[in-house]
Amino acid sequence: MPLMEARLELAIPDMVFVPSLEFGSEDGFMELIEGIVDDAYKLSSLIPRIAKHNGMDHYQIELDDMLDLSEMRHDLMDRVTAVINKAIEQRNQFENYSYLWTENRAEFLRQFLLYNHVLTQEEIENAGEEGVPECPPTLEQFKEQMDTYETLYDEVAALPDVYVFDQWFRLSIRPFKQNLLNVVRKWSLMFKTHLIDHVTNSLKNLQDFIKVTTSGLSVEV
């Protein structure tokens, strides 16, 4: 059973740990552990010495000077540093999803509707002043986009909710995972909504055309 836990959250545009795992963070995990160790040492100041001939009222000074305890403290902090690095490494593996929350969905859709994909800088430069010729997407390309995000949704949903490092430290990614699923769903919904609106508008235009045509045919000549 892990003793300590941190959460990974998505605070766009960043992935953040709660508590922070950044070294030097004022309210970070490392500082929390150091505070616990310091408090353990300070407990010795509450134990009065029976023999006070050496002028010391408690045992904290002696504990501070004990080499064995100092080595144990150093070893503990090394272990804390190790799990922090493992947690950061795990977070970095999620960077391949970062385009989902950093790219502009509206701009992506705009270019997709014009060119069936997002233009690369090379395409723009090669086209010169004439610009890249428009090539609207087919229904099959729309389907490919929606299928891509449906597959991605299933991939994210299959991620473990929890990672355990060195048996004593647990990293919960539930908040990050849920936010990421919501972002993926927004991408998928963007394409579906556009298609629905397009079909709805097309049917409405067709209906209006039929009404006008029918009205014209009913006029006696």
Side-chain angles (χ1 to χ4, degrees), residues 33-45 47 60 63:
I33 298 298
E34 288 182 340
I36 292 175
V37 174
D38 286 341
D39 289 344
Y41 270 78
K42 290 175 182 177
L43 286 175
S44 60
S45 68
I47 305 175
Q60 183 175 355
L63 291 183

Side-chain angles (χ1 to χ4, degrees), residues 20 22-36:
S20 173
E22 300 299 327
F23 296 104
S25 175
E26 186 174 333
D27 299 319
F29 181 71
M30 177 68 82
E31 284 63 33
L32 172 65
I33 298 298
E34 288 182 340
I36 292 175

Side-chain angles (χ1 to χ4, degrees), residues 102-178:
T102 56
E103 286 190 3
N104 186 307
R105 287 194 298 274
E107 176 60 20
F108 185 99
L109 181 61
R110 186 189 72 82
Q111 292 198 36
F112 179 75
L113 294 176
L114 289 174
Y115 313 107
N116 74 63
H117 66 283
V118 174
L119 298 180
T120 64
Q121 189 61 37
E122 183 179 0
E123 287 179 294
I124 296 174
E125 292 175 356
N126 290 340
E129 294 182 359
E130 295 181 359
V132 179
E134 295 183 7
C135 182
T138 63
L139 283 177
E140 182 60 29
Q141 288 171 322
F142 258 100
K143 182 178 183 302
E144 289 175 0
Q145 285 292 329
M146 289 186 289
D147 288 347
T148 295
Y149 291 107
E150 291 301 319
T151 300
L152 191 57
Y153 187 93
D154 293 338
E155 177 184 316
V156 174
L159 291 173
D161 290 334
V162 171
Y163 293 86
V164 177
F165 303 116
D166 294 353
Q167 299 183 329
W168 64 271
F169 182 82
R170 176 170 55 206
L171 174 64
S172 171
I173 70 163
R174 288 189 187 95
F176 167 78
K177 181 177 172 180
Q178 187 57 56

Side-chain angles (χ1 to χ4, degrees), residues 33-220:
I33 298 298
E34 288 182 340
I36 292 175
V37 174
D38 286 341
D39 289 344
Y41 270 78
K42 290 175 182 177
L43 286 175
S44 60
S45 68
L46 303 178
I47 305 175
R49 298 182 66 96
I50 297 177
K52 300 182 180 181
H53 59 276
N54 57 6
M56 292 186 293
D57 296 329
H58 50 73
Y59 294 93
Q60 183 175 355
I61 296 178
E62 289 186 6
L63 291 183
D64 290 339
D65 293 338
M66 289 181 66
L67 181 60
D68 288 346
L69 287 180
S70 179
E71 291 178 348
M72 290 175 61
R73 179 170 185 161
H74 183 74
D75 180 64
L76 172 62
M77 300 316 296
D78 282 346
R79 292 173 183 269
V80 172
T81 300
V83 295
I84 287 177
N85 288 333
K86 290 177 181 179
I88 292 175
E89 182 179 347
Q90 182 60 57
R91 178 200 62 186
N92 292 343
Q93 292 184 22
F94 299 134
E95 285 288 351
N96 60 315
Y97 296 117
S98 62
Y99 70 94
L100 292 167
W101 64 79
T102 56
E103 286 190 3
N104 186 307
R105 287 194 298 274
E107 176 60 20
F108 185 99
L109 181 61
R110 186 189 72 82
Q111 292 198 36
F112 179 75
L113 294 176
L114 289 174
Y115 313 107
N116 74 63
H117 66 283
V118 174
L119 298 180
T120 64
Q121 189 61 37
E122 183 179 0
E123 287 179 294
I124 296 174
E125 292 175 356
N126 290 340
E129 294 182 359
E130 295 181 359
V132 179
E134 295 183 7
C135 182
T138 63
L139 283 177
E140 182 60 29
Q141 288 171 322
F142 258 100
K143 182 178 183 302
E144 289 175 0
Q145 285 292 329
M146 289 186 289
D147 288 347
T148 295
Y149 291 107
E150 291 301 319
T151 300
L152 191 57
Y153 187 93
D154 293 338
E155 177 184 316
V156 174
L159 291 173
D161 290 334
V162 171
Y163 293 86
V164 177
F165 303 116
D166 294 353
Q167 299 183 329
W168 64 271
F169 182 82
R170 176 170 55 206
L171 174 64
S172 171
I173 70 163
R174 288 189 187 95
F176 167 78
K177 181 177 172 180
Q178 187 57 56
N179 286 338
L180 182 55
L181 287 172
N182 291 337
V183 172
V184 175
R185 185 60 76 197
K186 288 179 181 179
W187 279 92
S188 178
L189 187 61
M190 176 179 70
F191 290 97
K192 292 178 181 178
T193 300
H194 178 82
L195 278 182
I196 292 172
D197 290 344
H198 177 72
V199 171
T200 301
N201 291 333
S202 297
L203 290 175
K204 184 178 183 304
N205 292 336
L206 178 59
Q207 185 180 39
D208 292 342
F209 173 77
I210 292 174
K211 286 182 179 179
V212 172
T213 303
T214 303
S215 174
L217 291 174
S218 64
V219 176
E220 295 184 2

